[in-house]
């Protein structure tokens, strides 16, 4: 039963947890199963966020929905201050940078600067800003950061240059931050999903065909399978694991 697990009483922020069929909502549920109180961050899906909050509260933990746009310069400071206010707490234990966007498959010549900026703001700058703003409040030792990457960063894919570059940047940011955060007792890792059945999934696209060809397990993953890896990395059991990339991608490798 929630409230009694390894994360009992801890405060977790999960960004982009506002779509009931999304990876973020599954992560929120998995952390709540371990007893964590959850901030359900959203950008535009207010009703979805409220629905996820209800689900979490019915599990016996505290939950609140907080809005913040990843494109805003105050993304991190707003989300952190609203979290401290919502739970009347002075500490944050777990951050999961899950919110992310892709743009429709586009060749190099057709990439708009505004699309480049939107993807990098959501997938790289916002995670940085949130960690930066949360750092004074992150539990030391014991704090946990999990960034949601993508296995596309490992392989690359034409027409997905911007998205794959942003996830590659997130990976390198994670490795660099691990060196600075480690001595404080804070771990930071990446979970890198392969194709997962959510709104973002591109089922039927050439990317999917190619991915399915090189995956050992030839199916889409589930949001739960991603969430389980995040839940473990957020737990005390994973306290000696940092700066790592955990693929949850059916064993996809280079073609
Ligand atoms: P999704 O269903 O499309 O949900 C994306 C989430 O990001 C939503 O909660 C959305 O919030 C939030 N978001 C979008 N734009 C935002 C903005 N400007 N500011 C703040 N939040 C914003 O995505 P998903 O498939 O669950 O993906 C979650 C993560 O997994 C992403 O980082 C994605 O890159 C990664 N991933 C997914 C797959 C896959 O196959 N699905 C594969 C590899 C990696 P609102 O709805 O409230 O706007």
């Amino acid at each position: 039963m929630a409230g009694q697990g390894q994360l009992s009483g801890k405060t977790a922020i999960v960004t982009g947890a506002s779509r009931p069929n999304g990876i973020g909502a599954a992560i929120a549920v998995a952390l709540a199963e371990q007893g964590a109180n959850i901030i359900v961050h959203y950008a535009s899906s207010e009703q979805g966020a409220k629905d996820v909050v209800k689900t979490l509260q019915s599990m016996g933990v505290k939950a609140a929905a907080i809005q913040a746009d990843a494109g805003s310069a105050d993304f991190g400071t707003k989300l952190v201050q609203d979290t401290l206010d919502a739970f009347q707490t002075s500490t944050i234990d777990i951050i999961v940078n899950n919110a992310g966007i892709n743009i429709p498959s586009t060749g190099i010549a057709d990439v708009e600067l505004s699309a480049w900026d939107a993807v990098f703001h959501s997938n790289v700058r916002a995670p940085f800003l949130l960690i930066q703003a949360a750092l004074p409040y992150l539990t030391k030792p014991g704090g946990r950061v999990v960034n949601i990457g993508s296995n596309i960063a490992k392989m690359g894919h034409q027409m997905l240059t911007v998205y794959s570059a942003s996830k590659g940047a997130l990976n390198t940011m994670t490795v660099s931050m691990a060196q600075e955060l480690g001595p404080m007792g804070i771990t930071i890792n990446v979970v890198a999903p392969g194709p997962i059945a959510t709104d973002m999934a591109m089922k039927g696209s050439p990317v999917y065909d190619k991915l399915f060809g090189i995956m050992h397990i030839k199916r889409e993953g589930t949001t739960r399978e991603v969430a389980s890896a995040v839940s473990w990395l957020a737990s005390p059991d994973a306290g000696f694991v940092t700066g790592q990339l955990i693929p949850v991608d059916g064993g996809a490798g280079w073609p």
Side-chain angles (χ1 to χ4, degrees):
M1 181 61 194
Q4 304 297 321
Q6 287 201 90
L7 304 180
S8 184
K10 292 189 184 293
T11 294
I13 300 174
V14 184
T15 67
S18 49
R19 302 194 187 172
N21 68 341
I23 292 171
I27 292 168
V29 166
L31 296 178
E33 283 172 356
Q34 292 298 319
N37 299 319
I38 313 286
I39 294 298
V40 175
H41 158 263
Y42 69 99
S44 58
S45 303
E46 184 177 6
Q47 189 54 51
K50 285 180 177 167
D51 291 345
V52 174
V53 164
K54 260 192 212 154
T55 300
L56 300 173
Q57 288 171 339
S58 74
M59 296 169 65
V61 300
K62 287 197 263 182
I66 293 178
Q67 197 278 342
D69 192 327
S72 301
D74 70 348
F75 176 80
T77 49
K78 178 184 187 308
L79 192 44
V80 166
Q81 191 56 55
D82 287 356
T83 296
L84 301 175
D85 292 346
F87 289 164
Q88 292 293 299
T89 180
S90 56
T91 54
I92 295 168
D93 303 290
I94 299 161
I95 292 174
V96 183
N97 282 304
N98 165 77
I101 59 169
N102 193 1
I103 52 174
S105 297
T106 312
I108 297 165
D110 296 322
V111 172
E112 305 263 359
L113 188 59
S114 58
W116 174 280
D117 285 344
V119 170
F120 268 76
H121 282 173
S122 290
N123 299 1
V124 190
R125 194 179 81 159
F128 175 83
L129 291 175
L130 179 54
I131 295 164
Q132 184 183 50
L135 193 50
Y137 309 98
L138 268 174
T139 316
K140 304 173 193 72
R144 296 279 187 272
V145 181
V146 184
N147 296 325
I148 304 302
S150 168
N151 74 341
I152 284 291
K154 167 170 73 171
M155 296 172 281
H157 198 284
Q158 59 178 317
M159 314 296 277
L160 289 178
T161 298
V162 182
Y163 179 72
S164 57
S166 73
K167 294 298 189 178
L170 184 69
N171 291 348
T172 308
M173 186 177 93
T174 302
V175 172
S176 298
M177 284 188 170
Q179 295 176 23
E180 190 173 338
L181 298 177
M184 302 177 205
I186 299 168
T187 71
I188 178 167
N189 294 283
V190 172
V191 169
I196 308 295
T198 69
D199 291 349
M200 187 185 281
M202 296 172 290
K203 201 164 191 174
S205 73
V207 184
Y208 251 52
D209 292 346
K210 185 171 170 183
L211 276 173
F212 274 50
I214 59 172
M215 285 156 56
H216 306 319
I217 300 171
K218 296 190 181 299
R219 63 168 173 81
E220 285 180 313
T222 66
T223 57
R224 178 72 188 187
E225 287 167 330
V226 179
S228 297
V230 175
S231 174
W232 175 69
L233 284 170
S235 76
D237 289 342
F240 205 44
V241 179
T242 197
Q244 301 303 308
L245 186 148
I246 313 286
V248 181
D249 66 356
W254 287 92

